[in-house]
């Protein structure tokens, strides 16, 4: 106990064993020293923070964030994205390889991305690599350079510099990634199904929804399962929207395939029925679907078919959110709001805060192999989010820290006010305001 410099106390500490009153001690290296009874004495010289009835969660880990820096930093940059993350209780994020220029598809491009990110990081930042046509030879060097895995698209990504993989290219990438036991993460929509769907321009959300049918996700996931069985590749399905695919995923996992899947706050909290025509702040691909589909996604989380909940924060400048669903940029900006959004709906459904912490911290950390993140336990990084679970607030876009204040949550009243966020025992946000830049660049742990 002699090295303890900080003591955090709450009557609601969310540990891997459950929620309980506890005192958490933090050592000089920014690691959790011990989780003690609530009435444990504060060591001499240590600072005490008593949060009362506010909940102490492990800092959130968001493994699906589009930062777009460099190249499209007017959409989002590392300075603004990591400030928004800290304000929302996220202490670690992993950046997607596309929408920046250059994309993270070579080790040299990764070096450029790191040089841009390092001086701007308010929270810890890691990187995914990209798998695109023609870069199979780049995958192992990227893996050795510390990316957490490789993202690919099976349908057009929306940016020319990050093309999709066809079946043969996907198979080649999966075989290469399996050879070094890497991880492939996939935007799973089948291009044939998309091209066959009705395509109508205009402001009607029902037309946009019809253009991205569930069958596109279902067929793409079936292909992933087939090739994962052939190559033995670890595969993660990104932003699952179609609940129809859940039985396929459950069956594949039961058969021993190393297959995981995520969904996102917008799929769990917003429904197609409530999207106003022309409100393209609600546009994302795959799309927000109907309420009955949402109910099934919550069941998939409850039974473990879905592993984690991450933001898929995919921002753009305001002018790209035109009222035409066919031409507007697709992406939901939610980095700062994910925790209260998910907690609001989980609370309404009678689910505990421990579930939310598991989906938004423990499971994403496990996906990325971040064994010092994702739990309030001795030896882990002292990363925390402090949440007032029963307090409410109304979303005011002007108070958001991401670069463009466009969000589908504008005007919504949410439960759960993030009081503060802590990274390795240092406060990085308080009452919605970032307080310091202590983030580091992180890499995949070598085997």
């Amino acid at each position: 106990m002699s090295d303890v410099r900080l003591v955090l106390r709450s009557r609601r500490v969310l540990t891997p064993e459950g929620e309980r009153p506890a005192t958490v001690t933090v050592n000089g290296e920014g690691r959790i020293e011990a989780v003690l009874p609530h009435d444990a004495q504060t060591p001499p010289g240590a600072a005490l923070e008593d949060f009362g009835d506010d909940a102490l969660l492990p800092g959130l880990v968001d493994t699906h964030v589009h930062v777009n820096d460099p190249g499209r930093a007017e959409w989002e940059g590392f300075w603004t994205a990591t400030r928004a993350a800290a304000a929302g209780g996220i202490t670690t994020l992993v950046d997607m390889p596309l929408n920046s220029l250059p994309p993270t598809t070579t080790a040299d491009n990764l070096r450029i991305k790191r040089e841009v990110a390092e001086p701007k990081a308010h929270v810890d930042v890691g990187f995914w690599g990209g798998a695109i046509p023609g870069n199979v030879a780049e995958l192992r060097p990227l893996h050795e350079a510390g990316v957490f895995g490789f993202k690919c698209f099976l349908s057009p990504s929306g940016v020319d510099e990050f093309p999709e993989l066809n079946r043969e290219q996907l198979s080649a990438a999966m075989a290469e990634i399996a050879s070094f036991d890497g991880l492939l993460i996939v935007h799973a929509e089948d291009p044939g199904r998309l091209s066959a769907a009705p395509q109508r321009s205009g402001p009607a959300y029902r037309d946009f929804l019809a253009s991205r049918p569930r069958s596109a996700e279902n067929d793409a996931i079936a292909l992933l399962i087939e090739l994962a069985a052939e190559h033995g590749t670890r595969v993660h399905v990104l932003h699952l929207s179609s609940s129809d695919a859940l039985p396929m995923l459950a069956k594949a996992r039961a058969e021993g395939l190393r297959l995981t899947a995520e969904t996102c706050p917008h799929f769990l909290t917003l429904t197609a029925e409530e999207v106003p025509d022309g409100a393209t702040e609600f546009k994302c691909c795959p799309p927000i679907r109907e309420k009955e589909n949402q109910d099934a996604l919550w069941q998939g989380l409850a039974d473990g078919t879905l592993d984690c909940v991450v933001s898929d924060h995919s921002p753009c400048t305001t002018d790209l959110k035109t009222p035409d669903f066919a031409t507007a940029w697709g992406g939901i900006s939610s980095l700062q709001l994910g925790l209260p959004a998910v907690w609001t709906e989980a609370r309404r459904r009678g689910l505990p805060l421990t579930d939310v912490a598991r989906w938004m911290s423990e499971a994403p950390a496990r996906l990325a192999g971040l064994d010092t993140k994702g739990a309030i336990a001795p030896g882990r990084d002292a990363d925390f989010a402090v949440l007032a679970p029963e307090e409410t607030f109304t979303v005011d876009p002007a108070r958001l820290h991401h670069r463009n204040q466009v969000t589908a949550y504008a005007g919504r009243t949410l439960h759960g006010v993030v009081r503060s966020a802590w990274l390795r025992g240092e406060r990085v946000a308080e009452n919605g305001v970032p307080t310091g830049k202590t983030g580091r660049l992180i890499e995949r742990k070598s085997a």
Side-chain angles (χ1 to χ4, degrees):
M1 296 288 287
S2 59
D3 189 34
V4 170
R5 63 175 177 84
L6 176 67
V7 174
L8 305 179
R9 179 173 292 150
S10 168
R11 283 185 281 274
R12 301 188 64 181
V13 177
L14 278 64
T15 73
E17 295 75 35
E19 180 183 314
R20 70 178 195 266
T23 290
V24 181
T25 59
V26 178
N27 65 29
E29 296 179 348
R31 296 287 181 94
I32 296 171
E33 184 76 13
V35 181
L36 303 171
H38 185 263
D39 60 357
Q41 289 190 345
T42 301
L48 172 65
E49 296 277 346
D50 192 329
F51 302 118
D53 290 325
D54 289 346
L56 186 66
L57 287 70
L60 302 194
V61 177
D62 193 340
T63 52
H64 196 146
V65 182
H66 294 268
V67 179
N68 312 333
D69 192 6
R72 292 189 177 97
E74 70 275 14
W75 293 17
E76 187 71 277
F78 283 104
W79 183 267
T80 49
T82 58
R83 284 171 62 84
I90 297 164
T91 53
T92 303
L93 64 82
V94 187
D95 173 59
M96 283 293 168
L98 73 155
N99 298 345
S100 59
L101 294 169
T104 316
T105 51
T106 70
D108 284 344
N109 291 355
L110 173 65
R111 177 184 51 78
I112 294 169
K113 178 73 74 85
R114 285 178 166 153
E115 289 174 353
V116 170
E118 195 278 331
K120 302 176 182 178
H122 290 77
V123 300
D124 283 0
V125 176
F127 302 93
W128 297 109
I132 62 173
N135 85 324
V136 169
E138 300 287 348
L139 301 181
R140 186 180 290 270
L142 276 165
H143 178 76
E144 292 172 349
V147 299
F148 288 92
F150 304 90
K151 180 177 186 177
C152 73
F153 279 74
L154 305 188
S155 57
S157 71
V159 291
D160 292 340
E161 67 276 3
F162 205 96
E164 72 274 22
L165 302 180
N166 62 28
R167 181 191 175 103
E168 291 72 28
Q169 294 162 339
L170 174 64
S171 182
M174 290 179 74
E176 175 66 7
I177 291 167
S179 73
F180 51 77
D181 198 29
L183 172 65
L184 181 68
I185 65 174
V186 187
H187 181 122
E189 288 183 287
D190 179 80
R193 288 286 191 180
L194 294 179
S195 62
Q199 305 293 323
R200 298 185 182 92
S201 61
Y205 186 73
R206 65 180 178 276
D207 290 339
F208 171 65
L209 186 60
S211 75
R212 317 289 297 208
R214 297 188 201 188
S215 59
E217 287 188 80
N218 304 339
D219 286 3
I221 290 170
L223 173 61
L224 290 174
I225 291 171
E226 176 188 340
L227 293 179
E230 177 181 341
H231 297 297
T233 317
R234 289 191 294 140
V235 176
H236 179 72
V237 177
L238 297 168
H239 46 48
L240 184 74
S241 165
S242 171
S243 63
D244 296 346
L246 293 170
M248 276 193 293
L249 290 167
K251 181 173 183 291
R253 291 166 67 140
E255 292 172 351
L257 295 187
R258 295 187 294 169
L259 194 68
T260 52
E262 70 187 33
T263 193
C264 304
H266 41 278
F267 297 139
L268 297 171
T269 62
L270 307 173
T271 62
E273 291 88 344
E274 64 187 311
V275 177
D277 286 349
T280 55
E281 63 269 26
F282 289 85
K283 179 181 176 179
C284 56
C285 301
I288 295 165
R289 302 193 187 276
E290 303 84 355
K291 184 181 184 305
E292 52 85 17
N293 182 84
Q294 182 184 91
D295 291 340
L297 292 178
W298 277 100
Q299 181 57 45
L301 279 170
D303 65 25
T305 304
L306 290 172
D307 299 88
C308 49
V309 180
V310 291
S311 69
D312 189 13
H313 178 69
S314 184
C316 65
T317 53
T318 305
D319 61 295
L320 295 180
K321 285 292 190 180
T322 67
D324 185 342
F325 272 100
T327 59
W329 179 259
I332 304 287
S333 295
S334 64
L335 191 59
Q336 191 171 330
L337 300 170
L339 175 56
V342 174
W343 168 237
T344 297
E345 185 63 15
R347 178 182 178 277
R348 189 185 71 81
R349 292 172 180 265
L351 298 168
L353 193 55
T354 48
D355 283 351
V356 176
R358 185 174 75 255
W359 300 327
M360 302 188 78
S361 184
E362 177 189 337
R366 185 170 59 249
L367 171 72
L370 292 167
D371 58 6
T372 65
K373 307 289 188 181
I376 297 178
R380 302 289 183 115
D381 287 351
D383 300 350
F384 308 103
V386 180
L387 185 74
E390 303 311 315
E391 288 199 23
T392 63
F393 69 101
T394 300
V395 177
D396 176 3
R399 296 177 65 85
L400 300 177
H401 293 281
H402 55 252
R403 178 147 293 167
N404 296 281
Q405 283 74 41
V406 177
T407 178
Y409 294 96
R412 288 179 176 262
T413 298
L414 302 177
H415 274 85
V417 172
V418 179
R419 298 279 197 214
S420 61
W422 302 71
L423 179 62
R424 285 182 293 277
E426 299 290 338
R427 196 191 317 257
V428 292
E430 185 170 19
N431 296 321
V433 179
T435 57
K437 193 196 78 62
T438 62
R440 301 174 183 172
L441 303 189
I442 57 175
E443 300 179 5
R444 176 190 52 80
K445 186 177 179 179
S446 299

